[in-house]
Amino acid sequence: MNFDYNTTRNELILAEYGRNVQNMVKYIIELPDLEERNKYAQAVIDLMGFLNPHLRDVADFKHKLWDHLHIISGYKIDVDCPYPKPTPEDALVKPKHIGYPQQKITYKHYGKTVETMIEKAKAVDDPERRAAMVQGIANFMKMAYVTWNKDSVADETILKNLRELSGGQLQLDENVNLAKVEFKPVVARPANNNNRGRQNNNNNNNNGKGRQSSTGNSSSNRPQRNNNNPKPRH
């Protein structure tokens, strides 16, 4: 008896589609008629899209499916593809490095966004609008601080950091009250199944009490046997 193990099979090129799809593609390659190959290739494309529905959120997902079809076939399938056929050389091309921003952040818990907002506020000339922006930035800094520290923070600390980050150009009055921010830990809620179980138990207990009371009433209506006068024996 011969057993079919994965170690004796051909290499699975794209594991997300499975071996059956790979075998179907291999069957399509060997078909002699072009029209028949096109028909079966379209059926396999539909199946590949059904097996990986997350590809529908990708731009040009049909194009990606056809590229995967050629990759699974080892670039040997000969069908009328609606998109340019990929080549083995395309798989060797490395994408360009996107580059990462190398910027120093003064206070990591505030982030780079606060520094950007401060620079925007410094460029505003309207006094009223600038004061409103400074107030909003200070409230946001307090929220970010509490999120990072998970504790309360004095308004004086926020105002001091605001002056440092703005180079002394953005200031608020010392007696200003910033928005109240508190860290509330997440409390795990009990599962609904436990509540259902308690309700079911309560219902069963109530039903049992009802049955006992009804049984007691019916027994009280029955005539009582007098134990003092036993039946005579013959």
Side-chain angles (χ1 to χ4, degrees), residues 1-11 19-20 23:
M1 180 180 296
N2 295 327
F3 295 97
D4 187 14
Y5 296 102
N6 287 333
T7 54
T8 60
R9 296 176 179 177
N10 297 329
E11 180 183 0
R19 187 169 298 277
N20 290 330
N23 293 336

Side-chain angles (χ1 to χ4, degrees), residues 2-54:
N2 295 327
F3 295 97
D4 187 14
Y5 296 102
N6 287 333
T7 54
T8 60
R9 296 176 179 177
N10 297 329
E11 180 183 0
L12 194 58
I13 300 175
L14 294 179
E16 59 267 29
Y17 297 108
R19 187 169 298 277
N20 290 330
V21 172
Q22 183 167 316
N23 293 336
M24 285 187 284
V25 174
K26 182 180 179 181
Y27 172 78
I28 296 173
I29 296 174
E30 299 174 354
L31 293 176
D33 185 32
L34 176 61
E35 184 178 355
E36 192 174 6
R37 289 199 301 269
N38 291 334
K39 181 179 68 173
Y40 284 108
Q42 184 61 51
V44 172
I45 288 293
D46 296 338
L47 177 60
M48 292 167 64
F50 177 78
L51 293 175
N52 293 269
H54 63 277

Side-chain angles (χ1 to χ4, degrees), residues 39-105:
K39 181 179 68 173
Y40 284 108
Q42 184 61 51
V44 172
I45 288 293
D46 296 338
L47 177 60
M48 292 167 64
F50 177 78
L51 293 175
N52 293 269
H54 63 277
L55 292 179
R56 298 182 183 274
D57 299 332
V58 180
D60 297 333
F61 79 100
K62 281 286 187 180
H63 192 177
K64 183 176 290 292
L65 291 178
W66 280 99
D67 288 347
H68 289 176
L69 178 67
H70 284 85
I71 294 173
I72 293 174
S73 67
Y75 305 95
K76 298 177 182 179
I77 190 170
D78 184 14
V79 292
D80 294 333
C81 181
Y83 304 97
K85 298 181 180 180
T87 60
E89 290 75 15
D90 295 337
L92 302 178
V93 177
K94 295 183 178 181
K96 296 181 180 179
H97 192 273
I98 60 175
Y100 296 98
Q102 301 294 333
Q103 298 175 349
K104 182 180 179 181
I105 301 176

Side-chain angles (χ1 to χ4, degrees), residues 1-228:
M1 180 180 296
N2 295 327
F3 295 97
D4 187 14
Y5 296 102
N6 287 333
T7 54
T8 60
R9 296 176 179 177
N10 297 329
E11 180 183 0
L12 194 58
I13 300 175
L14 294 179
E16 59 267 29
Y17 297 108
R19 187 169 298 277
N20 290 330
V21 172
Q22 183 167 316
N23 293 336
M24 285 187 284
V25 174
K26 182 180 179 181
Y27 172 78
I28 296 173
I29 296 174
E30 299 174 354
L31 293 176
D33 185 32
L34 176 61
E35 184 178 355
E36 192 174 6
R37 289 199 301 269
N38 291 334
K39 181 179 68 173
Y40 284 108
Q42 184 61 51
V44 172
I45 288 293
D46 296 338
L47 177 60
M48 292 167 64
F50 177 78
L51 293 175
N52 293 269
H54 63 277
L55 292 179
R56 298 182 183 274
D57 299 332
V58 180
D60 297 333
F61 79 100
K62 281 286 187 180
H63 192 177
K64 183 176 290 292
L65 291 178
W66 280 99
D67 288 347
H68 289 176
L69 178 67
H70 284 85
I71 294 173
I72 293 174
S73 67
Y75 305 95
K76 298 177 182 179
I77 190 170
D78 184 14
V79 292
D80 294 333
C81 181
Y83 304 97
K85 298 181 180 180
T87 60
E89 290 75 15
D90 295 337
L92 302 178
V93 177
K94 295 183 178 181
K96 296 181 180 179
H97 192 273
I98 60 175
Y100 296 98
Q102 301 294 333
Q103 298 175 349
K104 182 180 179 181
I105 301 176
T106 306
Y107 294 105
K108 296 287 183 67
H109 49 279
Y110 294 136
K112 191 65 181 177
T113 303
V114 170
E115 297 182 4
T116 304
M117 291 191 295
I118 289 175
E119 294 299 325
K120 295 289 185 182
K122 289 164 59 176
V124 176
D125 297 329
D126 186 6
E128 294 183 359
R129 183 184 177 188
R130 184 173 183 174
M133 292 180 65
V134 173
Q135 182 77 26
I137 293 172
N139 290 330
F140 180 81
M141 291 172 62
K142 186 174 182 180
M143 181 191 67
Y145 190 101
V146 173
T147 303
W148 165 73
N149 195 43
K150 295 181 174 50
D151 198 357
S152 60
V153 57
D155 293 348
E156 291 76 10
T157 303
I158 302 299
L159 299 180
K160 177 183 176 182
N161 294 339
L162 178 62
R163 286 194 298 268
E164 293 177 358
L165 293 174
S166 63
Q169 299 185 30
L170 301 181
Q171 296 185 14
L172 288 174
D173 297 335
E174 295 294 337
N175 58 351
V176 69
N177 293 325
L178 300 180
K180 184 178 181 181
V181 181
E182 295 180 355
F183 176 76
K184 296 181 179 180
V186 179
V187 179
R189 296 182 178 179
N192 295 332
N193 295 334
N194 296 335
N195 297 331
R196 293 177 181 176
R198 297 192 189 99
Q199 294 177 0
N200 294 334
N201 293 334
N202 294 334
N203 294 334
N204 293 334
N205 294 334
N206 294 333
N207 294 334
K209 292 179 180 179
R211 286 194 295 269
Q212 291 176 2
S213 60
S214 60
T215 305
N217 294 334
S218 60
S219 61
S220 60
N221 296 332
R222 295 177 182 177
Q224 299 294 331
R225 178 179 296 179
N226 189 358
N227 296 328
N228 297 329

